[in-house]
Structures are given as structure tokens and as C-alpha cells.
Amino acid sequence: MNDSQNQQALDAQLDSLIQPFKAVASPLQEFLSDLYIKYKPLTEGKVADYIPELAKVDPDLFAISVVTVDGKVIEVGDIDQLFTIQSASKPFVHGLTLEDCGRDFVLSRVGVEPTGEAFNAIVLDESSGRPYNPMVNAGAIATAGLVKGDDPTAKLNRVMEMFRNYCGRDLYVDMSVYTSERSTGHRNRAIAHLMLNFGMVDQNLDDMLDLYFKQCSVMVNCHDLGVMAATLANNGRNPMTNARALDSQYIKDVLSVMYTCGMYDYSGEWSYRVGLPAKSGVGGGIVAVVPKLLGIGVFSPRLDSRGNSVRGVKVCEELSSHFGFHSFDLHDDHSKFLSSLTRTRST
Ligand code: GLU
């Protein structure tokens, strides 16, 4: 068989797996299944390989999760597959430090300005000496330094408890990813020293970096990302467990920074095209939030040149345009989405 015959055979196989289940599926489930079939063959992009642990992942993995603020879960693909959260941890830790230190103090240490630079750029805002925002490495490292706790273990425990509230289950740090992040993280160390030079962080750089490397090495699955996003959409309360993960007064801070800075140096175009607060990570995960309605998690490890999951971006673009999720689509009252949850097909 040639490539296109192979592809057709694969599509037919996928379709036959999904057909029986489509007969009773909601239109949203069908829509996700169709997206899965459409983008499964897309092999553009490259898995992150700056540490060997990340390069080991199966590049074909693919999952989509949609979780509504009233706890409905619609998913497809490799939903239970674990991967490292990486930079998708940043908005959640940012939220924790807002609770710990308050908006004004956090803002005095980390700005909210998009950079247009790579996520790991060694650059600070010259006039203030602050890192530009909490979604780039500099800002996220400074943010990790603001987590309260008597010692490094207490701080890590608070981060893990925060993740538990968002996900509704205990997560863990993958020690081999963490060890690699730590032993290769010279650039992040350089960023931390630059911030120390500007008085933006306290002396204890090693502890701060260690917490940052650990938060990036937390293992999640795509369902977790969907629930975490839905928790932000639900004003900080986990829709499945009802646990409060973030004080509702800080939701707008977290979401607005995600909106303007969450997708590396694709953030402007993402906001324009998709119009949703989101954050991606080099593990291949994306969290996207439709405020007051739902959370989206996508996992697919092949990344584009900016570090965003190739399939993840496509899936979010399609979901947003099909259901009118763009934040400034003022025509949309979400009725198309709401009816897609409840109707069932007769055939
Ligand atoms: N651990 C990564 C780093 O700091 C985060 C990469 C990412 O997901 O952007 O380099």
C-alpha cells in the first residue's frame, strides 16, 4: 500500500471504532471525535528534546478533553496518558502567589506585559527591572520565589495541594524529568541571577529554581488539564469536587495574563484567532478557558517552532470558531454549544 492508501485504511479503521459510539453520542462528542480523526494524521512539528526524558514520549499521542462548569466531561483519545505539565503550570502558580502575596506585591515583582520574545529569553523590563510577565520563564521563576512556606518542602506541598484542588486528585513530580531540568537548566539559572542583580528576587536562588523545576515536572493527563481549565472557567471552584482552587477575586488576573501572554510568542495571533485565555507547555499540553462555560485540555507532543502543540492549536482554533468561543464574538450566546451537549443522534 502507498502512503495515501495507508492513510485511508487508518481513517477507515478509526472511523469504524468510533461509529458505534457516535450513534449515541452528543453532537459535541461527535465533533471531538471528528477533530480527532481529522488531526490524528497530522505529524507536523517536533517533540521537545532539550532533555532526553521529553524526547522519549510517543509523538503520536493525542487527546482532547472538554469539561463544563457544571461537570460534564466530553473526551476523546489518549485521555489517561501522563505527561509533564511544564509551562502549563505557570498560570496556576501565579494564582497561588496572588493569594499568598496580594495583587500589588506580585505586580511589583513581575509585570503583565507580553514580550514578543522566546519563553526563555534572558531579558527584563529595563525601566522596572521586573520580568515581563509570569508566563515566561523569568516571571515564572520569580513567581515560584513568592510561594509562601517555612521551607522548600512546605512550599512544594502547597503547590501540590493547589494542583490537587484544581484536578481533584493527587499529582506527583516525575523525579527523572526534574533531575534533568535541574542539571540542564543553566539558562534559567542565568535568568535568576539577573533578577537577583535587579533586586527582583531574594537570595535563595537554588530553592526558587528548584521549586520552578519541580512545578514543571508535575505529571498530568489531558483530563486533568480539562478539569483545571474548567476550574478557572468556574470562577476558581472545581466543578467535579466543588473544592476551591483559587480565590475568585484573582481569576481575572490569571485569565488576563493567560490571554495576552500564554502561548509563547504566538500569543498575539492566538488571542486574535482563538480569543481564549490559554497556556501551553513543551510537554505538548494546552489549557484553554471559556469563562463561565468550560475548560479545554489538549495533549499532543509535537510542537511548532514557538513551542506550542501543533494539533493542540488546530483543535482549539476549530472549537473556538465552530462554537463561537472567541471572547469578543459578541454575536454568540453559546446556544450552539449548549445544545451540542444535550441532543443525541437518532441513527
Ligand atoms: N521546564 C521548561 C524550562 O524552563 C519549561 C518549558 C516550557 O514548557 O515552556 O525550560
Side-chain angles (χ1 to χ4, degrees):
M1 277 202 281
N2 62 29
D3 278 0
S4 108
Q5 284 166 332
N6 262 331
Q7 194 50 61
Q8 279 173 10
L10 188 67
D11 287 352
Q13 209 182 343
L14 277 170
D15 219 34
S16 68
L17 283 173
I18 280 167
Q19 272 315 323
F21 148 82
K22 268 179 138 182
V24 290
S26 65
L28 178 59
Q29 181 76 63
E30 267 189 50
F31 189 74
L32 294 192
S33 302
D34 289 345
L35 283 181
Y36 181 85
I37 291 170
K38 178 169 175 189
Y39 290 114
K40 180 80 179 166
L42 179 63
T43 57
E44 242 171 66
K46 243 174 97 279
V47 166
D49 58 3
Y50 67 93
I51 54 173
E53 273 62 26
L54 292 183
K56 284 183 202 153
V57 68
D58 174 356
D60 286 324
L61 292 165
F62 185 24
I64 310 168
S65 169
V66 170
V67 179
T68 66
V69 292
D70 58 354
K72 293 192 182 68
V73 177
I74 305 94
E75 301 182 322
V76 65
D78 305 300
I79 277 297
D80 299 324
Q81 175 67 44
L82 292 172
F83 55 95
T84 48
I85 189 167
Q86 294 293 346
S87 280
S89 61
K90 291 172 180 173
F92 303 99
V93 178
H94 177 216
L96 179 63
T97 59
L98 287 165
E99 286 183 337
D100 279 359
C101 304
R103 183 175 292 129
D104 291 343
F105 187 75
V106 174
L107 202 53
S108 72
R109 292 296 188 95
V110 185
V112 288
E113 207 61 56
T115 65
E117 307 262 357
F119 68 101
N120 59 0
I122 305 183
V123 51
L124 302 177
D125 179 342
E126 273 191 19
S127 58
S128 65
R130 292 176 306 179
Y132 276 95
N133 67 69
M135 301 297 105
V136 290
N137 285 10
I141 293 165
T143 307
L146 298 179
V147 172
K148 292 257 194 281
D150 288 342
D151 54 44
T153 309
K155 290 179 187 182
L156 178 64
N157 286 344
R158 293 198 57 246
V159 168
M160 298 312 286
E161 186 191 334
M162 176 270 298
F163 279 129
R164 180 170 59 239
N165 289 333
Y166 275 103
C167 297
R169 71 182 190 96
D170 282 316
L171 303 182
Y172 67 93
V173 174
D174 183 297
M175 291 315 276
S176 61
V177 173
Y178 155 69
T179 310
S180 296
E181 293 278 357
R182 192 183 53 181
S183 58
T184 59
H186 307 303
R187 208 180 161 89
N188 287 328
R189 226 162 259 123
I191 291 171
H193 279 280
L194 188 63
M195 291 193 292
L196 181 61
N197 177 61
F198 278 95
M200 282 296 127
V201 294
D202 300 325
Q203 289 292 336
N204 212 338
L205 297 189
D206 284 341
D207 288 350
M208 179 178 72
L209 283 160
D210 218 52
L211 186 60
Y212 171 73
F213 293 138
K214 283 186 176 140
Q215 78 175 61
C216 288
S217 309
V218 165
M219 300 298 282
V220 286
N221 60 36
C222 188
H223 172 76
D224 295 325
L225 294 188
V227 178
M228 292 166 85
T231 301
L232 289 175
N234 194 35
N235 219 6
R237 205 178 267 287
N238 182 317
M240 325 298 286
T241 63
N242 213 30
R244 175 150 296 286
L246 177 61
D247 186 330
S248 61
Q249 67 170 307
Y250 296 120
I251 290 289
K252 65 180 165 55
D253 304 63
V254 170
L255 292 185
S256 49
V257 174
M258 288 169 78
Y259 191 82
T260 51
C261 313
M263 298 296 285
Y264 303 115
D265 48 343
Y266 184 66
S267 297
E269 196 165 335
W270 169 275
S271 305
Y272 180 74
R273 285 180 188 280
V274 181
L276 296 176
K279 185 72 198 88
S280 59
V282 296
I286 295 181
V287 283
V289 179
V290 186
K292 297 188 184 170
L293 197 64
L294 60 95
I296 301 169
V298 191
F299 167 55
S300 171
R302 287 197 189 89
L303 309 177
D304 62 22
S305 58
R306 271 109 161 204
N308 296 313
S309 165
V310 175
R311 288 178 181 146
V313 169
K314 296 270 181 216
V315 163
C316 291
E317 276 178 6
E318 291 230 13
L319 277 166
S320 178
S321 70
H322 183 80
F323 290 109
F325 287 154
H326 193 295
S327 300
F328 305 129
D329 183 348
L330 305 184
H331 295 108
D332 199 83
D333 59 0
H334 298 318
S335 53
K336 184 170 180 182
F337 174 74
L338 293 171
S339 68
S340 84
L341 286 169
T342 48
R343 273 190 298 123
T344 51
R345 270 166 49 127
S346 51
T347 51

